[in-house]
Every structure is written in structure tokens, then in C-alpha cells.
Amino acid sequence: MKKVVSFLAIALCSLFVNGQVSFLPVASFPAGAQPTSIIAADFNGDSMIDLATDQVASINLFVLLGDGTGSFGTANSLTVAGGTQSITSADFNGDGKMDLAVSNTLGNSVSILLGNGAGGFSAPIDFPVGLANYYIISEDFNGDGKMDLATANGNNNNISILLGNGAGGFSSATNFTVGASTVSMISGDFNGDGKLDIATANYFGNNISILLGNGSGGFSTASIFAVGDKPMSITCGDFNGDGKMDLATANHISSDLSVLLGNGTGNFSTATNFSLTASPNSISCADFNGDGKMDLVATTGSGTNASVLLGDGTGHFSTAIDFPVGIGANSIICADFNKDGKMDIATANQGTHDIGVLINGAYPAAINEVNIDTSPIFIFPNPSTGIFTIELPSVSNASIEIFNSLGAMVYKQAHATDCNTIDLSKEANGVYMVNIIKEGRQIASRKVVKE
């Protein structure tokens, strides 16, 4: 007998898949003089996605609070050391409130601003790193439950790792050598050992570096893989559905995207390149058309467009579809800004001095329909503190994929049973998308809330 506290019953007769994607016309929100990097997080604890951006070679940051409809409030200004280039967000002091970290290329430091949970932030605290730290990310690299930092130092051809103490402080930087002029980086588990690794895009090397993590904050000697001409940005995701992390770069001079498929041991295939109509600056990935397959998006046309390439689930991608976003789009991010379960896009536009937001529209009527199972699917309790039960009665040969609000996959179960216990207790509170996949198609998608 089923004991259901609360549930979502899903009884779908058909689903749009394998088609085009549409976005509403861009909505622009002023954000200082020259916004250069962008991050999405919930800064005021209302379960709605907010945005933060830094300004190129400036002392200012701006925070824009979201209202859950895809609209954002007036930008609030913050001050840091100067020469900002990249921004990231995490809970650095363990109080359950999102904080900010910014790379300062002129000061060769990172600034930490602790959040108050209402959208405000403390005065910055600076920590030294390498020269020309063009990019910053935050992850738990040593598995102690405390958030750490990594910066890409273009003039030193290395990365700096700063281990967090859980109180908002960080260790002295430990440096690891990468390729020539690293300008972007991403983390993921590339060899399937449960420890976070790092990949960097090396602009003058025309390659990427892979550094495998040891789970204690240390990394292996870098392995090098060739990509297109002048890679400016890098992202990762499972592009061919084999459960192994793949990589993609945005190559500025060759005007294409390079896709490298991972084999699950830390090695990658020879790059396959996908042409664009103009030079890309930044790249990200998400499932934009709801078919359960990862797509790519890059800023192109001197930063005037977001170019979307739909994935076919084998590691190949469609011809780019361009959506205007503004002028001088230098950075791009994907998240669900209006809480409709579809991935949206935001860009930091230096030329128009704003943030451009593209809200994912309804899937067009021209998309082909496929018949799917009509069996009910039960998810309970919902909301939950982290443990969910997903019942799939009479649904055989299905898999479960769960994504956070930023489009990152946080859970995958390849062979789902009738009754599945899902543990999200280590994930941040918020809204997650549960996708049920059968025979390569998404047959159901619903939200769960972890609180």
C-alpha cells in the first residue's frame, strides 16, 4: 500500500521533442557601465533567481533581484578592489546565505563579499592569487563540505586554488600549471572517481588543460587537448548521454565551438567543431527544448546574439539559431528565471550597459509529437528536506535525471525501478527539475522543492 504525504501525478499523452526552441524578445535591465561577467543565485532567500555582474576593469559590482517572472529590479551597486573580471557565488561561511567572490585582475586578488540573506553584502575581504586572474569558480575541491575557490591566471599560465575554512576565510593560494594564457575554467568529475577535476581554456595555446583532482585540494599535472583557434570560454555537460562528462569551448578566431567527448577516465576525444556565423565570446549548456538532451549556447556576432545549437544526444549539434541579446555580450548564463521549468538565458552586455534576458517561450507547434506512456508517476514528499521517493508504476526501462535551477545535473539514475529513493540532502535548498527519460526521450518533467 502506498503511503503518500504529497505527490505530483503525471499523466501525459504526448510531449514535444526534437524540435526548435523559441525565446521571447530580449528584456534589458541596466547594470552599470560595462558589465562583463554574470552569475545567477538566490541572494535574498525568496526562492527566486537573482543576478550579479561585475564591471570590466572597474571597482563596481551590481546585484539585480529577480521577481520570479523573468523580470529584475534596479541594480544595486557594490564596491571591490578594482579591475574586476569574473564573478561567482556560493555560501562561503556556512550561514545558508549566498555570498559573492570576484576576481580582481589589476589587484591580483579575489574579493569575498558575505551575503546578509536580504540581497545585501558585507565590505570585501581580499585574498592574493596569481597575475591577471581572468576567471573564478567556486566548488568544494577537498570534500570537507566547505566551499573553495579557483582562479585562472592568464599571465602566470596557472590556476590558483584557495581552500575555504567555512567561515568566509581562505588559505594561501596553491598554484598548478596549465596552458598558455588560460582565460576560462570549469569543474566536473571527468574520471568518475567522485572527486572534482578542473578544465581550463588556454587562449594562446589553442587547447584545454585537464587537471584531475585528488579530493584533498590537489591536482595532477595537466593533460592537454587541442581545440579551435583562441578558445575564450569552456563548459561541461553530458552531451552524448553516456553518463560521462564532456567539454565544449567557444573559439573566438575560428568562429566555432569545439566539442570533446569524455571517456570517463579523464581523457577526451579529438575535438569536433561546429561552425558559427560570427566569433563567440562565451559558452554555456542546458536543455532548451525539453527533449532531455543537452544543448549549447554561445554569445556571437561581437556579442549581439545568443546562438543556440540543439543537441541530438550523440554529441552532435544543429546549425546555430541566433537570438538578439544586446551589444557586446561578454558572458552568458542559463537558469530558470520565471519558474516555468524551462531554461532561460541571461547575458552581460558591455555595449548596451545592461543585462539581456531571454525567456524560453512555449515549444513551437511545428515540433513533432511522439506518443509516450500514460502511467502516473508519483513524487513524495514534496517539498522535502532532501529525501524523495519517485514511483514509476508500469514504466519500464526508464532513467531519472535531476537538474538544479542553473541547469546543472545533480543526479542521474540510469536504470530506474518501480520505487526509487532519491537523496538530494547535500544539495542547496531550492527548486529542482526531475526528468524521466525512456528510449532516449523525455516522457515527463516535474519540479520538486528541497527545503
Side-chain angles (χ1 to χ4, degrees):
M1 186 175 79
K2 298 172 185 174
K3 186 178 180 181
V4 180
V5 178
S6 64
F7 66 88
L8 292 175
I10 306 169
L12 303 178
C13 296
S14 63
L15 189 73
F16 293 137
V17 298
N18 296 329
Q20 301 296 304
V21 66
S22 66
F23 289 88
L24 301 180
V26 65
S28 301
F29 301 91
Q34 287 187 302
T36 184
S37 180
I38 190 170
I39 192 70
D42 179 10
F43 296 124
N44 60 345
D46 62 356
S47 298
M48 301 174 188
I49 297 295
D50 310 311
L51 296 171
T53 180
D54 61 340
Q55 308 286 300
V56 61
S58 172
I59 63 171
N60 295 121
L61 312 177
F62 288 91
V63 174
L64 298 84
L65 299 180
D67 65 2
T69 70
S71 184
F72 294 84
T74 301
N76 298 316
S77 178
L78 305 169
T79 302
V80 292
T84 63
Q85 188 70 30
S86 179
I87 190 169
T88 188
S89 180
D91 180 8
F92 298 125
N93 62 345
D95 64 354
K97 303 166 185 175
M98 296 301 289
D99 311 311
L100 292 172
V102 188
S103 64
N104 304 311
T105 54
L106 299 182
N108 302 319
S109 65
V110 298
S111 294
I112 305 299
L113 299 88
L114 300 179
N116 63 10
F121 293 85
S122 68
I125 304 171
D126 295 338
F127 298 87
V129 291
L131 297 177
N133 50 319
Y134 289 121
Y135 207 83
I136 188 169
I137 60 175
S138 51
E139 294 286 358
D140 180 9
F141 293 118
N142 61 346
D144 64 355
K146 303 167 185 175
M147 295 303 292
D148 312 311
L149 293 171
T151 63
N153 310 316
N155 286 5
N156 286 142
N157 301 329
N158 65 17
I159 64 171
S160 293
I161 303 295
L162 297 86
L163 300 180
N165 64 10
F170 292 85
S171 67
S172 297
T174 302
N175 299 325
F176 299 88
T177 300
V178 293
S181 190
T182 182
V183 293
S184 179
M185 64 197 310
I186 195 77
S187 65
D189 182 6
F190 302 129
N191 61 344
D193 64 355
K195 302 167 185 175
L196 282 173
D197 313 310
I198 288 177
T200 69
N202 308 317
Y203 186 80
F204 286 119
N206 298 328
N207 56 36
I208 63 172
S209 297
I210 306 297
L211 299 91
L212 300 179
N214 63 10
S216 300
F219 292 86
S220 67
T221 300
S223 300
I224 302 296
F225 299 88
V227 293
D229 196 355
K230 303 302 183 289
M232 288 192 68
S233 182
I234 189 168
T235 191
C236 66
D238 181 6
F239 301 134
N240 61 346
D242 63 355
K244 302 166 185 175
M245 295 301 291
D246 310 311
L247 293 167
T249 62
N251 310 313
H252 188 72
I253 299 301
S254 53
S255 297
D256 56 19
L257 307 181
S258 293
V259 173
L260 300 88
L261 300 180
N263 67 2
T265 69
N267 287 311
F268 291 83
S269 67
T270 300
T272 301
N273 298 323
F274 298 88
S275 297
L276 300 170
T277 57
S279 299
N281 295 326
S282 182
I283 189 172
S284 188
C285 62
D287 178 10
F288 296 116
N289 62 343
D291 64 354
K293 302 166 185 175
M294 293 299 289
D295 310 312
L296 295 174
V297 62
T299 55
T300 59
S302 298
T304 59
N305 293 321
S307 297
V308 175
L309 294 80
L310 299 178
D312 66 2
T314 71
H316 289 84
F317 294 85
S318 70
T319 301
I321 308 165
D322 293 339
F323 298 91
V325 291
I327 298 175
N330 192 61
S331 181
I332 193 165
I333 195 167
C334 308
D336 181 8
F337 299 126
N338 62 342
K339 305 179 76 170
D340 66 350
K342 301 170 186 173
M343 295 305 294
D344 310 310
I345 294 170
T347 60
N349 306 321
Q350 293 183 10
T352 42
H353 320 299
D354 57 26
I355 300 298
V357 174
L358 293 170
I359 297 299
N360 200 330
Y363 303 143
I367 296 177
N368 296 326
E369 293 187 351
V370 296
N371 293 326
I372 63 171
D373 294 297
T374 58
S375 303
I377 297 170
F378 301 96
I379 305 177
F380 61 90
N382 186 32
S384 167
T385 57
I387 305 298
F388 296 86
T389 296
I390 300 179
E391 292 192 353
L392 307 175
S394 303
V395 179
S396 59
N397 301 318
S399 62
I400 299 171
E401 297 177 354
I402 301 179
F403 296 82
N404 65 19
S405 60
L406 299 180
M409 184 185 294
V410 299
Y411 181 91
K412 182 172 183 177
Q413 183 171 325
H415 301 288
T417 61
D418 288 349
C419 187
N420 308 271
T421 299
I422 309 300
D423 186 359
L424 299 182
S425 58
K426 293 184 179 180
E427 302 297 331
N429 291 347
V431 179
Y432 292 81
M433 289 301 300
V434 178
N435 294 337
I436 310 301
I437 310 297
K438 182 176 179 180
E439 297 176 354
R441 306 192 310 270
Q442 179 178 305
I443 67 170
S445 181
R446 283 296 183 270
K447 298 177 185 177
V448 295
V449 177
K450 192 254 178 176
E451 59 182 16

